Structures are given as C-alpha cells and as structure tokens.
Amino acid sequence: MKQGGGYGHRKRNVCFCVIATIVVIVLIIVILALTVFKAKRPVTTINAVSLKDLDVSLNLPRVRVNLNVTLDVDLSIKNPNKVGFKYKNSTTLLNYRGEQVGEVPITADKISAGETKAMNLTLTIMADKLLSNSQVYSDVIGGELPLSTFSRISGKVSIIGIKLKVVSTTTCDFTVFISNRTVGDQHCKYKTKL
C-alpha cells in the first residue's frame, strides 16, 4: 500500500513540475511579446524633395502657361521591429492646393528587422490637372508653386505568429521656386497606427 501511495505522490510531483514549466514558458513568451517583440510603428520619412526638371513658358497673346514639373522624392521606411515588415503596393500622391496633380507607385516589398529601406521616386505633375486650377497662373507669375506629397504605406508585422496591421502616412508641404528651380519651405507630418 505504501508503495502505491509513493508512486501517486511522485506522479503528482511530475505533473506539478510539467504544469509549472508550461506556465513559466507561457509567462516568458508573454513578457517577450510585450517587451522585446512588441510591435512598433514603421516610420515613413521623406528625406528630401528636389526638382529634377522644370519647364515653364508663358504665351502672352492668350495668357496661357505651359508647365512641366518633375520632382525626385527621397523616401525611406524604417522598420524598428525585431521581425520583418511586409507592405502592400502603395502610392505617393502629389497635390496642388488640395487637388491631386500627380502620383507614383510604391511596389510591395518586405523590410527586415531593424532595416531602413530607401526609395527614390520620380513624380511628374499632370499638367492638365494643374493648369485647370485658376490659381496656378498667379503662383507661376509670383514665382512660387506650393505643392504637397502624401504617402500611405500599409502592411503587416508578424509577432510570435500573430499578424498585426500597420499603416504609416507622411504628408509633406513644400514650395517649388520657379526662378532658381529649387525646392524649399518643406514641412512634413508623420502618422502611424497599429
């Protein structure tokens, strides 16, 4: 009888040790998920906007402006997570006084853990859309063209098998100075949500 009781006692101790080990492992995973592997927001940054090409001509008899503007946008996406970030096909839009006048696609890709991926995008203004805005004439004559870019990158990070959706947006306002063909007065706002 005593032998059977000792066997049952050992069986309970082994069962208790297995349960305690499982609880400790689960706690370690939860702590890691909430600290080291906690999902962090990828940051999209527009590092620079430069003027690649600017052609402006003014036809005085009809008071008509011919305009062709091409901008180089240096964009980077930083993934601060300990795991990779996969993002979908996206677009950077170019706006003039609230109206879309250009766009460039951003091809879907993956960014490794801790990596910053640089992208050089070329935006060409859709002249017909720009010239349909009545304010463009006074802006061109005044020598300053106010523009803005809007980039939205959405994707997923996978942390310990759980996929989290992430959206990062960047808006940059800047001015194209027509006389010396430069870009200045750049102000950017960044927003990310998990």
Side-chain angles (χ1 to χ4, degrees), residues 118-187:
M119 293 179 218
N120 292 310
L121 309 173
T122 301
L123 278 164
T124 301
I125 290 180
M126 296 179 242
D128 57 334
K129 286 190 175 185
L130 182 66
L131 295 174
S132 66
N133 188 314
S134 62
Q135 292 178 300
V136 75
Y137 301 106
S138 58
D139 285 338
V140 168
I141 290 167
E144 296 181 3
L145 196 61
L147 296 169
S148 67
T149 58
F150 174 78
S151 300
R152 182 180 187 274
I153 308 285
S154 66
K156 292 182 180 178
V157 289
S158 180
I159 298 178
I160 310 175
I162 300 167
K163 291 190 177 186
L164 300 171
K165 187 177 177 182
V166 179
V167 178
S168 179
T169 59
T170 305
T171 305
C172 284
D173 299 320
F174 57 94
T175 303
V176 173
F177 298 105
I178 293 169
S179 59
N180 59 6
R181 299 173 183 240
T182 60
V183 173
D185 296 338
Q186 183 176 322
H187 304 284

Short mmCIF file of all heavy atoms in Angstrom, two decimals, residues 118-187:
data_model
loop_
_atom_site.label_atom_id
_atom_site.label_comp_id
_atom_site.label_asym_id
_atom_site.label_seq_id
_atom_site.Cartn_x
_atom_site.Cartn_y
_atom_site.Cartn_z
N ALA A 118 15.52 52.67 -48.31
CA ALA A 118 15.47 53.94 -49.04
C ALA A 118 14.83 53.73 -50.40
O ALA A 118 15.04 52.70 -51.05
CB ALA A 118 16.88 54.50 -49.21
N MET A 119 14.01 54.70 -50.80
CA MET A 119 13.37 54.66 -52.11
C MET A 119 13.53 56.02 -52.77
O MET A 119 13.34 57.04 -52.12
CB MET A 119 11.89 54.37 -51.97
CG MET A 119 11.56 53.02 -51.46
SD MET A 119 9.79 52.87 -51.35
CE MET A 119 9.68 51.94 -49.86
N ASN A 120 13.87 56.02 -54.03
CA ASN A 120 13.92 57.26 -54.80
C ASN A 120 12.79 57.22 -55.82
O ASN A 120 12.78 56.36 -56.69
CB ASN A 120 15.28 57.42 -55.49
CG ASN A 120 16.38 57.64 -54.49
OD1 ASN A 120 16.25 58.50 -53.62
ND2 ASN A 120 17.45 56.87 -54.58
N LEU A 121 11.84 58.11 -55.65
CA LEU A 121 10.66 58.15 -56.50
C LEU A 121 10.71 59.38 -57.39
O LEU A 121 11.18 60.43 -56.99
CB LEU A 121 9.40 58.20 -55.65
CG LEU A 121 9.27 57.15 -54.53
CD1 LEU A 121 8.05 57.44 -53.67
CD2 LEU A 121 9.19 55.75 -55.12
N THR A 122 10.20 59.24 -58.61
CA THR A 122 10.12 60.37 -59.53
C THR A 122 8.65 60.69 -59.77
O THR A 122 7.91 59.85 -60.26
CB THR A 122 10.82 60.06 -60.86
OG1 THR A 122 12.18 59.76 -60.58
CG2 THR A 122 10.76 61.24 -61.82
N LEU A 123 8.25 61.91 -59.39
CA LEU A 123 6.87 62.37 -59.55
C LEU A 123 6.80 63.36 -60.69
O LEU A 123 7.55 64.34 -60.71
CB LEU A 123 6.41 63.09 -58.28
CG LEU A 123 5.91 62.24 -57.12
CD1 LEU A 123 5.88 63.08 -55.86
CD2 LEU A 123 4.53 61.72 -57.41
N THR A 124 5.91 63.12 -61.63
CA THR A 124 5.70 64.08 -62.71
C THR A 124 4.31 64.67 -62.56
O THR A 124 3.33 63.93 -62.37
CB THR A 124 5.83 63.38 -64.08
OG1 THR A 124 7.14 62.81 -64.17
CG2 THR A 124 5.63 64.37 -65.22
N ILE A 125 4.23 65.98 -62.62
CA ILE A 125 2.94 66.66 -62.47
C ILE A 125 2.12 66.45 -63.73
O ILE A 125 2.62 66.57 -64.85
CB ILE A 125 3.15 68.16 -62.21
CG1 ILE A 125 3.74 68.35 -60.81
CG2 ILE A 125 1.86 68.94 -62.36
CD1 ILE A 125 4.00 69.78 -60.43
N MET A 126 0.84 66.12 -63.54
CA MET A 126 -0.10 66.04 -64.65
C MET A 126 -0.50 67.48 -64.98
O MET A 126 -1.34 68.08 -64.30
CB MET A 126 -1.32 65.21 -64.25
CG MET A 126 -1.00 63.76 -63.96
SD MET A 126 -2.48 62.86 -63.46
CE MET A 126 -2.04 62.37 -61.82
N ALA A 127 0.13 68.03 -66.01
CA ALA A 127 -0.02 69.46 -66.32
C ALA A 127 -1.48 69.85 -66.57
O ALA A 127 -1.90 70.93 -66.15
CB ALA A 127 0.84 69.80 -67.52
N ASP A 128 -2.26 68.99 -67.21
CA ASP A 128 -3.66 69.34 -67.50
C ASP A 128 -4.46 69.56 -66.22
O ASP A 128 -5.26 70.48 -66.11
CB ASP A 128 -4.32 68.29 -68.39
CG ASP A 128 -4.28 66.89 -67.80
OD1 ASP A 128 -3.36 66.60 -67.00
OD2 ASP A 128 -5.16 66.07 -68.14
N LYS A 129 -4.21 68.72 -65.20
CA LYS A 129 -4.92 68.88 -63.92
C LYS A 129 -4.45 70.14 -63.20
O LYS A 129 -5.23 70.85 -62.59
CB LYS A 129 -4.72 67.66 -63.02
CG LYS A 129 -5.50 66.45 -63.46
CD LYS A 129 -5.44 65.38 -62.40
CE LYS A 129 -6.32 64.22 -62.78
NZ LYS A 129 -6.39 63.21 -61.73
N LEU A 130 -3.14 70.38 -63.26
CA LEU A 130 -2.59 71.55 -62.58
C LEU A 130 -3.10 72.84 -63.22
O LEU A 130 -3.53 73.76 -62.55
CB LEU A 130 -1.06 71.51 -62.63
CG LEU A 130 -0.34 72.65 -61.93
CD1 LEU A 130 -0.58 72.59 -60.43
CD2 LEU A 130 1.13 72.59 -62.22
N LEU A 131 -3.07 72.88 -64.55
CA LEU A 131 -3.45 74.10 -65.25
C LEU A 131 -4.95 74.38 -65.20
O LEU A 131 -5.38 75.49 -65.48
CB LEU A 131 -2.95 74.05 -66.70
CG LEU A 131 -1.43 74.04 -66.84
CD1 LEU A 131 -1.01 73.84 -68.29
CD2 LEU A 131 -0.81 75.31 -66.27
N SER A 132 -5.75 73.38 -64.82
CA SER A 132 -7.19 73.62 -64.70
C SER A 132 -7.52 74.42 -63.43
O SER A 132 -8.62 74.94 -63.28
CB SER A 132 -7.97 72.29 -64.70
OG SER A 132 -7.65 71.55 -63.53
N ASN A 133 -6.55 74.53 -62.52
CA ASN A 133 -6.75 75.32 -61.30
C ASN A 133 -6.41 76.79 -61.62
O ASN A 133 -5.31 77.10 -62.05
CB ASN A 133 -5.85 74.80 -60.18
CG ASN A 133 -6.14 75.42 -58.84
OD1 ASN A 133 -6.29 76.63 -58.73
ND2 ASN A 133 -6.22 74.58 -57.82
N SER A 134 -7.36 77.67 -61.38
CA SER A 134 -7.19 79.09 -61.74
C SER A 134 -6.07 79.78 -60.97
O SER A 134 -5.53 80.78 -61.43
CB SER A 134 -8.50 79.84 -61.54
OG SER A 134 -8.88 79.78 -60.17
N GLN A 135 -5.67 79.25 -59.82
CA GLN A 135 -4.63 79.89 -59.01
C GLN A 135 -3.22 79.65 -59.53
O GLN A 135 -2.27 80.34 -59.14
CB GLN A 135 -4.72 79.41 -57.56
CG GLN A 135 -5.97 79.91 -56.85
CD GLN A 135 -6.05 79.36 -55.44
OE1 GLN A 135 -6.08 78.16 -55.24
NE2 GLN A 135 -6.07 80.26 -54.47
N VAL A 136 -3.06 78.67 -60.43
CA VAL A 136 -1.72 78.33 -60.90
C VAL A 136 -1.08 79.50 -61.65
O VAL A 136 0.12 79.72 -61.54
CB VAL A 136 -1.73 77.03 -61.75
CG1 VAL A 136 -2.29 77.27 -63.14
CG2 VAL A 136 -0.32 76.45 -61.85
N TYR A 137 -1.86 80.27 -62.37
CA TYR A 137 -1.31 81.38 -63.13
C TYR A 137 -0.67 82.42 -62.21
O TYR A 137 0.45 82.86 -62.44
CB TYR A 137 -2.39 82.02 -64.01
CG TYR A 137 -2.99 81.03 -64.98
CD1 TYR A 137 -4.27 80.53 -64.78
CD2 TYR A 137 -2.26 80.59 -66.08
CE1 TYR A 137 -4.82 79.60 -65.66
CE2 TYR A 137 -2.80 79.66 -66.96
CZ TYR A 137 -4.07 79.17 -66.74
OH TYR A 137 -4.59 78.25 -67.60
N SER A 138 -1.38 82.79 -61.17
CA SER A 138 -0.82 83.79 -60.24
C SER A 138 0.38 83.22 -59.48
O SER A 138 1.33 83.95 -59.19
CB SER A 138 -1.89 84.29 -59.27
OG SER A 138 -2.44 83.23 -58.53
N ASP A 139 0.36 81.91 -59.17
CA ASP A 139 1.50 81.29 -58.49
C ASP A 139 2.74 81.28 -59.39
O ASP A 139 3.85 81.58 -58.94
CB ASP A 139 1.17 79.86 -58.04
CG ASP A 139 0.26 79.84 -56.82
OD1 ASP A 139 0.20 80.85 -56.09
OD2 ASP A 139 -0.41 78.80 -56.61
N VAL A 140 2.56 80.93 -60.67
CA VAL A 140 3.69 80.88 -61.61
C VAL A 140 4.24 82.28 -61.81
O VAL A 140 5.46 82.50 -61.79
CB VAL A 140 3.27 80.23 -62.95
CG1 VAL A 140 4.35 80.44 -64.01
CG2 VAL A 140 3.02 78.74 -62.75
N ILE A 141 3.37 83.28 -62.00
CA ILE A 141 3.82 84.66 -62.18
C ILE A 141 4.52 85.15 -60.90
O ILE A 141 5.53 85.85 -60.95
CB ILE A 141 2.64 85.57 -62.58
CG1 ILE A 141 2.22 85.21 -64.01
CG2 ILE A 141 3.01 87.04 -62.48
CD1 ILE A 141 0.91 85.80 -64.44
N GLY A 142 4.01 84.73 -59.73
CA GLY A 142 4.63 85.09 -58.45
C GLY A 142 5.93 84.34 -58.18
O GLY A 142 6.67 84.67 -57.26
N GLY A 143 6.20 83.29 -58.97
CA GLY A 143 7.47 82.58 -58.86
C GLY A 143 7.51 81.45 -57.84
O GLY A 143 8.55 80.84 -57.62
N GLU A 144 6.38 81.14 -57.21
CA GLU A 144 6.35 80.06 -56.21
C GLU A 144 5.15 79.15 -56.43
O GLU A 144 4.02 79.62 -56.56
CB GLU A 144 6.26 80.66 -54.80
CG GLU A 144 7.46 81.48 -54.41
CD GLU A 144 7.37 82.03 -53.00
OE1 GLU A 144 6.38 81.72 -52.29
OE2 GLU A 144 8.27 82.76 -52.60
N LEU A 145 5.43 77.85 -56.45
CA LEU A 145 4.38 76.86 -56.67
C LEU A 145 4.26 75.99 -55.41
O LEU A 145 5.14 75.18 -55.13
CB LEU A 145 4.75 75.99 -57.88
CG LEU A 145 3.68 75.15 -58.52
CD1 LEU A 145 2.55 76.01 -59.07
CD2 LEU A 145 4.28 74.31 -59.64
N PRO A 146 3.18 76.15 -54.62
CA PRO A 146 3.03 75.35 -53.40
C PRO A 146 2.50 73.95 -53.73
O PRO A 146 1.47 73.80 -54.38
CB PRO A 146 2.00 76.14 -52.58
CG PRO A 146 1.17 76.85 -53.60
CD PRO A 146 2.08 77.11 -54.77
N LEU A 147 3.24 72.92 -53.31
CA LEU A 147 2.85 71.53 -53.57
C LEU A 147 2.93 70.73 -52.28
O LEU A 147 3.52 71.17 -51.29
CB LEU A 147 3.79 70.91 -54.61
CG LEU A 147 3.76 71.52 -56.01
CD1 LEU A 147 4.92 70.98 -56.84
CD2 LEU A 147 2.44 71.24 -56.69
N SER A 148 2.35 69.54 -52.30
CA SER A 148 2.47 68.63 -51.15
C SER A 148 2.45 67.19 -51.65
O SER A 148 1.88 66.89 -52.70
CB SER A 148 1.34 68.86 -50.14
OG SER A 148 0.10 68.50 -50.69
N THR A 149 3.12 66.33 -50.90
CA THR A 149 3.09 64.89 -51.19
C THR A 149 2.37 64.17 -50.06
O THR A 149 2.42 64.60 -48.91
CB THR A 149 4.50 64.30 -51.33
OG1 THR A 149 5.23 64.54 -50.13
CG2 THR A 149 5.23 64.88 -52.52
N PHE A 150 1.72 63.07 -50.41
CA PHE A 150 1.06 62.23 -49.42
C PHE A 150 1.42 60.79 -49.73
O PHE A 150 1.18 60.30 -50.83
CB PHE A 150 -0.47 62.41 -49.47
CG PHE A 150 -1.20 61.46 -48.56
CD1 PHE A 150 -1.26 61.70 -47.19
CD2 PHE A 150 -1.81 60.32 -49.06
CE1 PHE A 150 -1.91 60.82 -46.34
CE2 PHE A 150 -2.47 59.43 -48.22
CZ PHE A 150 -2.53 59.69 -46.86
N SER A 151 2.04 60.11 -48.77
CA SER A 151 2.41 58.70 -48.92
C SER A 151 1.73 57.89 -47.84
O SER A 151 1.72 58.28 -46.67
CB SER A 151 3.92 58.51 -48.80
OG SER A 151 4.59 59.24 -49.77
N ARG A 152 1.15 56.75 -48.24
CA ARG A 152 0.49 55.85 -47.29
C ARG A 152 1.03 54.44 -47.54
O ARG A 152 0.89 53.90 -48.63
CB ARG A 152 -1.02 55.87 -47.49
CG ARG A 152 -1.78 55.00 -46.53
CD ARG A 152 -3.29 55.09 -46.80
NE ARG A 152 -4.06 54.41 -45.81
CZ ARG A 152 -4.36 53.13 -45.83
NH1 ARG A 152 -3.92 52.37 -46.81
NH2 ARG A 152 -5.09 52.58 -44.88
N ILE A 153 1.68 53.88 -46.52
CA ILE A 153 2.24 52.53 -46.60
C ILE A 153 1.48 51.67 -45.61
O ILE A 153 1.42 52.00 -44.42
CB ILE A 153 3.74 52.52 -46.22
CG1 ILE A 153 4.53 53.56 -47.01
CG2 ILE A 153 4.32 51.13 -46.35
CD1 ILE A 153 4.80 53.22 -48.43
N SER A 154 0.86 50.58 -46.09
CA SER A 154 0.17 49.68 -45.16
C SER A 154 0.71 48.27 -45.35
O SER A 154 1.08 47.88 -46.44
CB SER A 154 -1.34 49.72 -45.39
OG SER A 154 -1.66 49.21 -46.65
N GLY A 155 0.77 47.55 -44.24
CA GLY A 155 1.29 46.20 -44.29
C GLY A 155 1.07 45.48 -42.99
O GLY A 155 0.22 45.86 -42.19
N LYS A 156 1.87 44.43 -42.76
CA LYS A 156 1.70 43.61 -41.57
C LYS A 156 3.05 43.24 -40.98
O LYS A 156 4.02 43.04 -41.70
CB LYS A 156 0.94 42.32 -41.89
CG LYS A 156 -0.50 42.57 -42.25
CD LYS A 156 -1.23 41.28 -42.53
CE LYS A 156 -2.67 41.59 -42.89
NZ LYS A 156 -3.43 40.39 -43.21
N VAL A 157 3.07 43.17 -39.63
CA VAL A 157 4.20 42.59 -38.92
C VAL A 157 3.67 41.35 -38.23
O VAL A 157 2.54 41.33 -37.76
CB VAL A 157 4.84 43.56 -37.89
CG1 VAL A 157 5.57 44.67 -38.57
CG2 VAL A 157 3.84 44.10 -36.92
N SER A 158 4.47 40.30 -38.20
CA SER A 158 4.06 39.05 -37.56
C SER A 158 4.92 38.85 -36.32
O SER A 158 6.14 38.73 -36.41
CB SER A 158 4.24 37.88 -38.52
OG SER A 158 3.84 36.68 -37.91
N ILE A 159 4.26 38.85 -35.15
CA ILE A 159 4.97 38.70 -33.89
C ILE A 159 4.45 37.45 -33.19
O ILE A 159 3.28 37.37 -32.84
CB ILE A 159 4.80 39.95 -33.01
CG1 ILE A 159 5.42 41.13 -33.76
CG2 ILE A 159 5.42 39.75 -31.65
CD1 ILE A 159 5.33 42.43 -33.11
N ILE A 160 5.34 36.50 -33.02
CA ILE A 160 5.03 35.21 -32.41
C ILE A 160 3.75 34.63 -33.01
O ILE A 160 2.82 34.25 -32.33
CB ILE A 160 4.95 35.31 -30.87
CG1 ILE A 160 6.18 36.03 -30.33
CG2 ILE A 160 4.88 33.92 -30.24
CD1 ILE A 160 6.15 36.30 -28.86
N GLY A 161 3.69 34.63 -34.33
CA GLY A 161 2.56 34.05 -35.04
C GLY A 161 1.33 34.93 -35.14
O GLY A 161 0.37 34.59 -35.80
N ILE A 162 1.34 36.09 -34.50
CA ILE A 162 0.18 37.00 -34.55
C ILE A 162 0.50 38.10 -35.55
O ILE A 162 1.50 38.80 -35.43
CB ILE A 162 -0.10 37.61 -33.15
CG1 ILE A 162 -0.40 36.50 -32.16
CG2 ILE A 162 -1.26 38.60 -33.23
CD1 ILE A 162 -0.39 36.97 -30.72
N LYS A 163 -0.36 38.25 -36.57
CA LYS A 163 -0.14 39.28 -37.58
C LYS A 163 -0.88 40.55 -37.19
O LYS A 163 -2.07 40.52 -36.90
CB LYS A 163 -0.61 38.80 -38.95
CG LYS A 163 0.27 37.71 -39.49
CD LYS A 163 -0.02 37.38 -40.91
CE LYS A 163 0.96 36.32 -41.38
NZ LYS A 163 0.84 36.03 -42.77
N LEU A 164 -0.14 41.67 -37.16
CA LEU A 164 -0.71 42.96 -36.82
C LEU A 164 -0.65 43.88 -38.03
O LEU A 164 0.38 43.96 -38.70
CB LEU A 164 0.06 43.60 -35.66
CG LEU A 164 0.08 42.82 -34.35
CD1 LEU A 164 1.04 43.46 -33.37
CD2 LEU A 164 -1.31 42.76 -33.74
N LYS A 165 -1.75 44.57 -38.30
CA LYS A 165 -1.81 45.51 -39.41
C LYS A 165 -1.20 46.84 -38.99
O LYS A 165 -1.45 47.32 -37.89
CB LYS A 165 -3.26 45.72 -39.84
CG LYS A 165 -3.41 46.53 -41.09
CD LYS A 165 -4.85 46.65 -41.52
CE LYS A 165 -4.92 47.54 -42.75
NZ LYS A 165 -6.27 47.75 -43.20
N VAL A 166 -0.40 47.43 -39.88
CA VAL A 166 0.27 48.69 -39.61
C VAL A 166 0.05 49.62 -40.80
O VAL A 166 0.16 49.21 -41.94
CB VAL A 166 1.79 48.47 -39.41
CG1 VAL A 166 2.50 49.78 -39.16
CG2 VAL A 166 2.06 47.50 -38.28
N VAL A 167 -0.26 50.89 -40.51
CA VAL A 167 -0.42 51.90 -41.56
C VAL A 167 0.42 53.11 -41.18
O VAL A 167 0.30 53.64 -40.08
CB VAL A 167 -1.90 52.32 -41.73
CG1 VAL A 167 -2.02 53.41 -42.79
CG2 VAL A 167 -2.77 51.13 -42.10
N SER A 168 1.28 53.54 -42.10
CA SER A 168 2.14 54.70 -41.87
C SER A 168 1.88 55.72 -42.97
O SER A 168 1.91 55.39 -44.16
CB SER A 168 3.61 54.26 -41.89
OG SER A 168 4.45 55.36 -41.70
N THR A 169 1.59 56.97 -42.58
CA THR A 169 1.34 58.03 -43.56
C THR A 169 2.30 59.19 -43.35
O THR A 169 2.70 59.47 -42.22
CB THR A 169 -0.11 58.56 -43.49
OG1 THR A 169 -0.35 59.07 -42.19
CG2 THR A 169 -1.12 57.47 -43.81
N THR A 170 2.65 59.84 -44.45
CA THR A 170 3.51 61.01 -44.42
C THR A 170 2.94 62.07 -45.35
O THR A 170 2.60 61.76 -46.50
CB THR A 170 4.93 60.66 -44.91
OG1 THR A 170 5.43 59.58 -44.13
CG2 THR A 170 5.87 61.83 -44.79
N THR A 171 2.84 63.29 -44.85
CA THR A 171 2.41 64.42 -45.66
C THR A 171 3.50 65.48 -45.60
O THR A 171 3.94 65.85 -44.51
CB THR A 171 1.10 65.02 -45.11
OG1 THR A 171 0.12 63.99 -45.04
CG2 THR A 171 0.58 66.12 -46.01
N CYS A 172 3.96 65.93 -46.76
CA CYS A 172 4.99 66.98 -46.81
C CYS A 172 4.51 68.13 -47.69
O CYS A 172 4.13 67.92 -48.84
CB CYS A 172 6.29 66.44 -47.38
SG CYS A 172 7.21 65.43 -46.22
N ASP A 173 4.54 69.34 -47.12
CA ASP A 173 4.24 70.56 -47.86
C ASP A 173 5.56 71.21 -48.23
O ASP A 173 6.48 71.26 -47.40
CB ASP A 173 3.41 71.52 -47.00
CG ASP A 173 2.07 70.92 -46.60
OD1 ASP A 173 1.45 70.26 -47.43
OD2 ASP A 173 1.67 71.13 -45.44
N PHE A 174 5.68 71.72 -49.45
CA PHE A 174 6.90 72.38 -49.88
C PHE A 174 6.57 73.36 -51.00
O PHE A 174 5.46 73.36 -51.53
CB PHE A 174 7.96 71.36 -50.33
CG PHE A 174 7.49 70.46 -51.44
CD1 PHE A 174 7.75 70.77 -52.76
CD2 PHE A 174 6.80 69.29 -51.14
CE1 PHE A 174 7.30 69.94 -53.78
CE2 PHE A 174 6.35 68.45 -52.16
CZ PHE A 174 6.61 68.79 -53.48
N THR A 175 7.56 74.17 -51.35
CA THR A 175 7.37 75.17 -52.40
C THR A 175 8.43 74.98 -53.47
O THR A 175 9.61 74.79 -53.16
CB THR A 175 7.50 76.60 -51.81
OG1 THR A 175 6.53 76.74 -50.77
CG2 THR A 175 7.26 77.65 -52.87
N VAL A 176 8.01 75.00 -54.73
CA VAL A 176 8.93 75.00 -55.86
C VAL A 176 9.15 76.46 -56.24
O VAL A 176 8.19 77.17 -56.58
CB VAL A 176 8.37 74.21 -57.07
CG1 VAL A 176 9.28 74.37 -58.28
CG2 VAL A 176 8.20 72.74 -56.72
N PHE A 177 10.42 76.93 -56.13
CA PHE A 177 10.76 78.30 -56.51
C PHE A 177 11.13 78.29 -57.99
O PHE A 177 12.16 77.71 -58.39
CB PHE A 177 11.90 78.83 -55.64
CG PHE A 177 11.53 78.91 -54.19
CD1 PHE A 177 12.02 77.98 -53.27
CD2 PHE A 177 10.65 79.89 -53.74
CE1 PHE A 177 11.66 78.05 -51.94
CE2 PHE A 177 10.29 79.96 -52.40
CZ PHE A 177 10.79 79.03 -51.50
N ILE A 178 10.30 78.90 -58.80
CA ILE A 178 10.43 78.81 -60.25
C ILE A 178 11.67 79.53 -60.76
O ILE A 178 12.36 79.04 -61.65
CB ILE A 178 9.14 79.33 -60.92
CG1 ILE A 178 8.01 78.36 -60.58
CG2 ILE A 178 9.29 79.46 -62.43
CD1 ILE A 178 6.64 78.82 -60.92
N SER A 179 12.01 80.67 -60.19
CA SER A 179 13.12 81.48 -60.72
C SER A 179 14.46 80.74 -60.66
O SER A 179 15.23 80.75 -61.62
CB SER A 179 13.23 82.80 -59.97
OG SER A 179 13.43 82.55 -58.59
N ASN A 180 14.75 80.07 -59.52
CA ASN A 180 16.04 79.37 -59.42
C ASN A 180 15.90 77.85 -59.45
O ASN A 180 16.84 77.12 -59.19
CB ASN A 180 16.82 79.82 -58.18
CG ASN A 180 16.05 79.55 -56.90
OD1 ASN A 180 14.99 78.94 -56.91
ND2 ASN A 180 16.59 80.01 -55.78
N ARG A 181 14.69 77.37 -59.74
CA ARG A 181 14.40 75.94 -59.92
C ARG A 181 14.83 75.09 -58.72
O ARG A 181 15.49 74.07 -58.87
CB ARG A 181 15.06 75.42 -61.19
CG ARG A 181 14.55 76.11 -62.41
CD ARG A 181 15.32 75.73 -63.65
NE ARG A 181 14.82 76.48 -64.77
CZ ARG A 181 14.30 75.93 -65.87
NH1 ARG A 181 14.23 74.64 -65.98
NH2 ARG A 181 13.87 76.69 -66.83
N THR A 182 14.47 75.56 -57.54
CA THR A 182 14.80 74.82 -56.32
C THR A 182 13.52 74.53 -55.53
O THR A 182 12.45 75.05 -55.83
CB THR A 182 15.76 75.63 -55.41
OG1 THR A 182 15.13 76.86 -55.06
CG2 THR A 182 17.08 75.88 -56.09
N VAL A 183 13.68 73.67 -54.51
CA VAL A 183 12.57 73.32 -53.62
C VAL A 183 12.93 73.77 -52.22
O VAL A 183 14.06 73.59 -51.77
CB VAL A 183 12.33 71.78 -53.64
CG1 VAL A 183 11.31 71.37 -52.61
CG2 VAL A 183 11.89 71.33 -55.02
N GLY A 184 11.98 74.39 -51.53
CA GLY A 184 12.24 74.84 -50.16
C GLY A 184 10.99 74.88 -49.33
O GLY A 184 9.92 74.40 -49.75
N ASP A 185 11.09 75.46 -48.14
CA ASP A 185 9.96 75.57 -47.20
C ASP A 185 9.28 74.23 -46.96
O ASP A 185 8.06 74.13 -46.95
CB ASP A 185 8.92 76.58 -47.70
CG ASP A 185 9.47 77.99 -47.79
OD1 ASP A 185 10.46 78.28 -47.09
OD2 ASP A 185 8.91 78.80 -48.54
N GLN A 186 10.07 73.17 -46.78
CA GLN A 186 9.49 71.84 -46.61
C GLN A 186 9.12 71.58 -45.15
O GLN A 186 9.92 71.76 -44.26
CB GLN A 186 10.49 70.78 -47.09
CG GLN A 186 9.93 69.37 -47.02
CD GLN A 186 10.89 68.35 -47.59
OE1 GLN A 186 11.58 68.60 -48.57
NE2 GLN A 186 10.96 67.20 -46.96
N HIS A 187 7.86 71.14 -44.93
CA HIS A 187 7.37 70.78 -43.61
C HIS A 187 6.63 69.45 -43.74
O HIS A 187 5.73 69.33 -44.57
CB HIS A 187 6.42 71.84 -43.06
CG HIS A 187 7.03 73.21 -43.01
ND1 HIS A 187 7.94 73.58 -42.06
CD2 HIS A 187 6.86 74.28 -43.83
CE1 HIS A 187 8.31 74.82 -42.27
NE2 HIS A 187 7.69 75.27 -43.34
#
